[in-house]
Amino acid sequence: QVQFVESGGGLVQPGGSLRLSCEASGSSFSINTMGWYRQAPGNERELVARISSGGSTIYAVGVKGRFTISRDNAKNTVYLQMNSLKPEDTAVYYCNLYPIFLTWGQGTQVTVSS
């Protein structure tokens, strides 16, 4: 049973930065495409960025140029570097496989506010 543990969220002012981490259990991490997702209150969960096993990346339009997804297969960890944060980035952030989801972790709260 693969589990995901997200961390690194917090309260940051507009224009600030945060780096999220997601550690995944399981031996098949390196062969899977991983995604970062977010869910704001009242909204559906949405894909923010994804990274293939080979390192190819794709970003949602609203975060392209500000967010960077990366992975360390030796550590079973995927990262999301978030720069130039905006209030509309406020959400709970989750990681999971893409496109087929497994059980969601608890997520990590990101709040962008002055």
Side-chain angles (χ1 to χ4, degrees), residues 49-61:
R50 68 182 198 251
I51 183 167
S52 71
S53 59
S56 297
T57 58
I58 293 179
Y59 298 91
V61 172

Side-chain angles (χ1 to χ4, degrees), residues 8-84:
L11 173 64
V12 63
Q13 293 186 343
S17 298
L18 284 173
R19 188 192 193 208
L20 307 184
S21 299
C22 170
E23 185 172 355
S25 63
S27 59
S28 60
F29 174 84
S30 64
I31 66 173
N32 287 298
T33 294
M34 294 296 300
W36 276 101
Y37 304 80
R38 67 185 180 188
Q39 187 169 21
N43 290 356
E44 293 187 354
R45 197 168 305 184
E46 62 176 352
L47 178 68
V48 174
R50 68 182 198 251
I51 183 167
S52 71
S53 59
S56 297
T57 58
I58 293 179
Y59 298 91
V61 172
V63 307
K64 195 170 184 179
R66 299 189 297 121
F67 291 9
T68 301
I69 188 172
S70 60
R71 66 192 298 163
D72 185 337
N73 289 336
K75 296 181 178 180
N76 276 15
T77 300
V78 60
Y79 304 97
L80 187 68
Q81 177 67 44
M82 305 187 296
N83 299 327
S84 302

